[in-house]
Amino acid sequence: MSLQEDDFPAAEKILADLDNVFRTDPELEDFFIIPVSGNQNKSPVVHADHSLGLESWCVQHLYCYVYGKLINHKTRKKREDPKVVARLLRGALLINPETAAFWNMMKQLIESERVGPEEDLRFSAVVLGFKPKCSEVFTHRKWVLRKMVAQADVQPMAVLKYLQAELRITQLAASKYPSNYNAWNHRKWVLEALAPKGGAEQKELLKQELKLSHCWTSNHVSDYSGLQYRQYVMQTVFSTFRHEDFLCRTEWLLELPSKVEAKCCSSCAAASVLEQELQMLSELIVRYEGHESLWYHRRFVLHSLQKVCVSAVCAKLGASLFNSVVGSERAFASSVCRESKLAHENGHASRHLNWIENVLRITAA
Amino acid sequence: MALKKDVDLNSVIAKPLTLKVHSDYIAAYGENKEDYEYCMTEYLRMSGIYWGLTAMALMGELDRMNKGEVLQFVRSCQDPVSGGISSSPGHDPHLLYTLSALQILSIYDEKLSDQEQDKVVNYIKSLQQPSGSFIGDKWGEEDTRFSFCAVACLSLIGRLNDIDVEKATEFVVSCMNFDGGFGSRPGSESHAGLIYCCVGYFSVVGRLDLVDADTLGWWLCERQLPSALSLLGESTLQVVDPTYCMPKSVINKLRLAPQRLNVS
């Protein structure tokens, strides 16, 4: 393989132009490759509305150039100045963010304080604008964030700022790529690693996330990764909230009618939340026919409700309450079977009945 | 309206499997070192070679590949300091490529020297965490994929007892979900690729009894699309992807009971 790095004389100018955009626009959000067939004798770097574009004609030449230089630097054939390396890395990672070795070189530059961690987080956020599902970007961000919050003198306010920024970025990535496993997974990690633990702040954050995920669900009825995030938040709420936490400031709840009295105890509160979730799902299933995700989420809710009912010490819960919920569940699925004109929605409903019987192991009376 | 996720199997699709075309393609692929394509895929070269060789071995055409060149390439990717193996010279060692490298050696019935092998074992040991999980490389990303890579590597070279298998198993079990599936970390969504890794993990350590085969079988069967060719990676919406195809013989081997679900 020939890596004739000096084959492309425009490369350094392009890299300098890219760097200039990163330096002068701290609010840069997005990166695109713009399809342009031939070199039009002007800079291929386009910057407008906090978006960065690179004309496609230069991409292959530029990548081969930076790749050759970086590998030569890494294998000590020809060392470059750290500032130059950072610039080459940004060029390489914009085009091919899957290359873990280049993110690792960036980590080394952060460790040796040649690149600031905040500056790097801004850069990798732009890369996510281009490749919103790229796991190497999320992996790298985790490393940077772990390093930042592990510093001895880190301020709680600063951690809160990183947390909010990360929540914003994962939501952006999730909206750009449906069922974005990596984005939602990253968001869970953010809640575990950056959120304040145990206090009122954590509870407020969980309430905020429940509210947000409800909103997301209503607008993305076939995004199961988003729904699974909601499941994760619900489970965290059930394991951390005390009874009074369910009762004060309830705007994060769905506030639908429920058979179970939430005021009774924490198990009843959890059961009530789950019961309301089933109602919310019924509405969505009727309104937006044919989405398997909604049925899948239903299974999680039923499974959780079964656990809460069977293991609860409260006399108001128990197997009989769960059986009555399953009764309504059967009636709902049967009505969808009867009324839906979509064959695959019919299939979802009948599979649901089948699942209740064979996996939940509740047989019809 | 639901999105179209499946493929149409119409009469245009060739019925016989064109093995000759497949093997010609793979044989030529190894030779094609055109600059841009080559640079763009260097980060997974070792796995690419493993996939190519596996396909050639299955087609009985392994001798068309340059064994000497491949083996020399594998050896050139071991990092002398950490003992881990990278995707390509100049890239960083990682469990993913360490496994691909050992798999390539197994295909050729070759071994690392005792000294090289000890280094690989030490590398893998160094990546096990107090929770039992494995990180993929020294930078700290934890994922059930890497638990699979670790035990698969060690089992191939007969060194499984060098790590804390019990603790490692505890971690993988903690990633099991209510639907019987597994995700990358505790609480992560079930995903066919990661389920492959976790079920593979239990198979390698001889603990398939820990898999809830009935519930997982249910999940798996429901990923199958009407064309009957393919499985979906995640629960919904993703389009049909041959990566997730699983032959019935494999499903049976894992005791996932596909015959249980005859739903509509």
Side-chain angles (χ1 to χ4, degrees):
Chain A
M1 177 180 57
S2 67
L3 287 173
Q4 293 298 321
E5 55 188 45
D6 295 326
D7 273 1
F8 187 46
E12 285 299 337
K13 169 77 169 65
I14 297 172
L15 291 171
D17 286 352
L18 287 173
D19 236 31
N20 193 36
V21 176
F22 283 116
R23 216 178 36 248
T24 55
D25 185 356
E27 289 168 64
L28 194 68
E29 283 227 317
D30 237 330
F31 170 66
F32 299 93
I33 289 177
I34 308 164
V36 175
S37 54
N39 179 355
Q40 298 179 341
N41 223 2
K42 62 177 177 60
S43 173
V45 178
V46 183
H47 176 214
D49 297 333
H50 304 299
S51 284
L52 173 64
L54 187 62
E55 292 181 354
S56 58
W57 64 265
C58 76
V59 167
Q60 296 202 5
H61 307 292
L62 184 66
Y63 191 72
C64 291
Y65 175 87
V66 292
Y67 186 85
K69 283 235 173 199
L70 286 168
I71 293 293
N72 282 340
H73 170 77
K74 207 159 173 292
T75 52
R76 293 165 198 276
K77 281 187 193 124
K78 191 172 168 213
R79 300 291 278 181
E80 304 280 351
D81 180 75
K83 244 187 167 153
V84 175
V85 175
R87 193 160 79 170
L88 292 166
L89 283 173
R90 280 192 275 266
L93 289 166
L94 272 179
I95 299 171
N96 192 5
E98 276 89 10
T99 308
F102 293 160
W103 288 116
N104 296 344
M105 287 171 81
M106 199 67 106
K107 293 183 188 85
Q108 283 163 337
L109 290 176
I110 295 170
E111 278 186 331
S112 60
E113 295 176 10
R114 303 288 188 163
V115 169
E118 303 217 9
E119 172 193 3
D120 180 65
L121 283 175
R122 277 200 301 276
F123 167 71
S124 62
V126 173
V127 178
L128 273 183
F130 176 50
K131 294 263 176 94
K133 204 191 174 182
C134 184
S135 66
E136 282 74 16
V137 185
F138 290 112
T139 297
H140 178 71
R141 290 185 76 81
K142 275 190 212 166
W143 180 87
V144 177
L145 288 161
R146 274 199 302 264
K147 184 176 164 58
M148 287 165 90
V149 298
Q151 275 163 354
D153 57 347
V154 70
Q155 298 295 317
M157 278 309 284
V159 180
L160 204 62
K161 200 182 86 187
Y162 307 146
L163 170 80
Q164 294 300 346
E166 225 46 28
L167 293 178
R168 196 180 66 82
I169 284 160
T170 48
Q171 195 179 345
L172 215 59
S175 62
K176 284 187 174 177
Y177 192 109
S179 285
N180 191 336
Y181 190 94
N182 297 331
W184 291 106
N185 220 10
H186 185 72
R187 198 175 178 95
K188 287 169 215 154
W189 177 84
V190 168
L191 289 193
E192 284 165 27
L194 303 182
K197 294 271 176 316
E201 278 172 318
Q202 186 196 13
K203 287 170 184 164
E204 281 312 307
L205 180 70
L206 288 168
K207 290 178 181 181
Q208 172 199 308
E209 289 303 286
L210 264 191
K211 216 174 149 183
L212 175 138
S213 63
H214 174 228
C215 216
W216 175 271
T217 303
S218 311
N219 295 316
H220 302 79
V221 286
S222 50
D223 194 315
Y224 189 72
S225 297
L227 279 166
Q228 201 272 344
Y229 176 74
R230 182 164 171 82
Q231 297 170 9
Y232 173 85
V233 178
M234 288 176 117
Q235 279 175 322
T236 317
V237 163
F238 296 156
S239 62
T240 51
F241 274 34
R242 289 199 304 263
H243 185 216
E244 59 268 27
D245 299 321
F246 284 99
L247 303 177
C248 65
R249 296 189 39 228
T250 55
E251 75 285 351
W252 54 283
L253 290 168
L254 299 172
E255 301 194 305
L256 294 167
S258 148
K259 286 182 195 150
V260 192
E261 184 54 75
K263 288 199 182 106
C264 174
C265 63
S266 61
S267 297
C268 282
S272 166
V273 168
L274 290 164
E275 220 201 316
Q276 294 176 54
E277 189 79 358
L278 287 176
Q279 292 183 52
M280 183 266 289
L281 281 170
S282 299
E283 282 172 32
L284 288 177
I285 286 172
V286 170
R287 196 179 315 153
Y288 306 103
E289 268 188 298
H291 296 283
E292 194 186 8
S293 298
L294 297 172
W295 291 96
Y296 251 90
H297 183 50
R298 255 196 125 84
R299 291 187 187 177
F300 164 81
V301 178
L302 275 178
H303 180 269
S304 308
L305 194 56
Q306 185 181 39
K307 262 198 339 209
V308 171
C309 284
V310 172
S311 64
V313 281
C314 179
K316 293 193 177 134
L317 298 170
S320 65
L321 174 83
F322 186 65
N323 285 340
S324 107
V325 171
V326 169
S328 322
E329 198 61 17
R330 279 214 181 84
F332 173 72
S334 306
S335 81
V336 173
C337 273
R338 266 193 319 274
E339 284 159 34
S340 175
K341 294 194 175 53
L342 286 176
H344 66 275
E345 182 70 339
N346 233 287
H348 294 150
S350 61
R351 276 199 284 277
H352 190 63
L353 290 167
N354 203 346
W355 179 84
I356 290 174
E357 186 143 345
N358 291 293
V359 180
L360 274 193
R361 298 185 192 282
I362 309 279
T363 39
Chain B
M1 231 354 249
L3 271 121
K4 171 115 180 97
K5 301 176 222 165
D6 206 356
V7 287
D8 287 322
L9 295 179
N10 54 32
S11 55
V12 183
I13 293 169
K15 288 280 175 347
L17 186 56
T18 47
L19 288 180
K20 177 82 174 63
V21 184
H22 279 296
S23 58
D24 286 351
Y25 175 79
I26 294 169
Y29 192 83
E31 297 303 313
N32 182 6
K33 297 183 179 176
E34 192 259 327
D35 281 358
Y36 176 64
E37 269 279 305
Y38 208 83
C39 303
M40 285 294 275
T41 53
E42 280 282 85
Y43 74 90
L44 49 61
R45 176 81 51 237
M46 188 68 76
S47 297
I49 294 174
Y50 166 68
W51 297 323
L53 291 177
T54 315
M56 292 301 257
L58 285 171
M59 292 185 282
E61 304 235 24
L62 196 55
D63 54 3
R64 284 178 72 183
M65 306 302 270
N66 188 333
K67 178 177 170 182
E69 201 180 288
V70 169
L71 294 178
Q72 209 228 323
F73 174 83
V74 170
R75 293 212 155 83
S76 73
C77 291
Q78 187 171 25
D79 174 35
V81 182
S82 68
I85 299 172
S86 65
S87 64
S88 198
H91 286 248
D92 294 336
H94 196 286
L95 265 181
L96 288 170
Y97 308 111
T98 304
L99 175 59
S100 294
L102 295 182
Q103 285 168 318
I104 291 168
L105 294 176
S106 292
I107 289 176
Y108 281 127
D109 219 0
E110 290 279 332
K111 281 197 171 74
L112 292 171
S113 71
D114 288 350
Q115 201 191 2
E116 287 167 333
Q117 191 158 298
D118 284 345
K119 284 197 138 181
V120 170
V121 173
N122 284 334
Y123 176 69
I124 297 170
K125 278 171 77 168
S126 75
L127 299 175
Q128 188 167 26
Q129 303 300 294
S131 70
S133 71
F134 280 83
I135 50 177
D137 62 12
K138 67 170 182 174
W139 301 105
E141 178 75 356
E142 170 194 87
D143 193 314
T144 45
R145 280 186 298 160
F146 308 143
S147 300
F148 171 71
C149 290
V151 297
C153 283
L154 293 173
S155 143
L156 281 175
I157 55 177
R159 298 283 294 268
L160 200 50
N161 291 329
D162 282 57
I163 53 155
D164 186 342
V165 176
E166 205 173 312
K167 204 81 192 144
T169 304
E170 258 174 48
F171 175 76
V172 181
V173 169
S174 76
C175 297
M176 192 195 286
N177 293 320
F178 88 98
D179 54 16
F182 298 84
S184 60
R185 298 176 57 240
S188 295
E189 184 187 349
S190 297
H191 182 289
L194 296 160
I195 291 172
Y196 166 80
C197 290
C198 294
V199 175
Y201 172 92
F202 292 120
S203 175
V204 169
V205 302
R207 291 304 309 271
L208 275 172
D209 61 295
L210 293 170
V211 176
D212 180 355
D214 277 353
T215 312
L216 178 57
W218 201 274
W219 185 92
L220 183 61
C221 294
E222 289 197 324
R223 306 277 64 71
Q224 190 171 24
L225 292 166
S227 68
L229 272 179
S230 50
L231 297 164
L232 294 181
E234 293 157 45
S235 289
T236 54
L237 196 78
Q238 305 293 351
V239 291
V240 45
D241 182 342
T243 321
Y244 300 115
C245 291
M246 205 184 271
K248 198 176 163 200
S249 62
V250 176
I251 294 175
N252 287 338
K253 229 177 194 168
L254 298 173
R255 296 189 284 118
L256 292 180
Q259 70 277 14
R260 282 204 52 153
L261 195 81
N262 199 352
V263 282
S264 42

